[in-house]
Amino acid sequence: MHATPITGAQIRAGRALLRWSAQQLADASRLGVATIRRADATDEVPQITAANAAAIRQALETGGVEFIWDHGRGVGVRLARHRMPEGEHADFVSDGNEG
């Protein structure tokens, strides 16, 4: 699990980059659409469980979103260089820290 929580603004921006609706993110993360809407209704860290935040993060990362952390310049998202082709979904995305 990641130490830095994602924000609602990052969730909205990630969905926009992928052109995903709230329903598409709900399907990809196996969560309810109400949970997605609640999570991206705020600019700050959403009031959702850690497990739900992890599911949302994993779905967006699998779709090709990279999260950018503050480091003095603010949080954000961007598309990964090796984005998954549209319609394809990976079962697991490595963050390089498994071993």
Side-chain angles (χ1 to χ4, degrees), residues 15-61:
R15 286 197 308 108
L17 284 172
L18 298 175
R19 297 182 180 172
W20 282 2
S21 67
Q23 184 63 60
Q24 287 171 300
L25 178 54
D27 293 344
S29 61
R30 297 183 178 161
L31 298 173
V33 71
T35 300
I36 301 303
R37 288 188 177 131
R38 186 171 61 253
D40 72 13
T42 179
D43 288 340
E44 304 303 322
V45 175
Q47 296 297 310
I48 59 175
T49 67
N52 286 352
I56 291 169
R57 177 192 299 246
Q58 181 66 39
L60 291 170
E61 287 177 340

Side-chain angles (χ1 to χ4, degrees), residues 18 20 58-65 79 83-84 88-89 93:
L18 298 175
W20 282 2
Q58 181 66 39
L60 291 170
E61 287 177 340
T62 298
V65 170
L79 287 177
R83 183 175 174 211
M84 296 291 296
E88 289 188 26
H89 299 282
V93 176

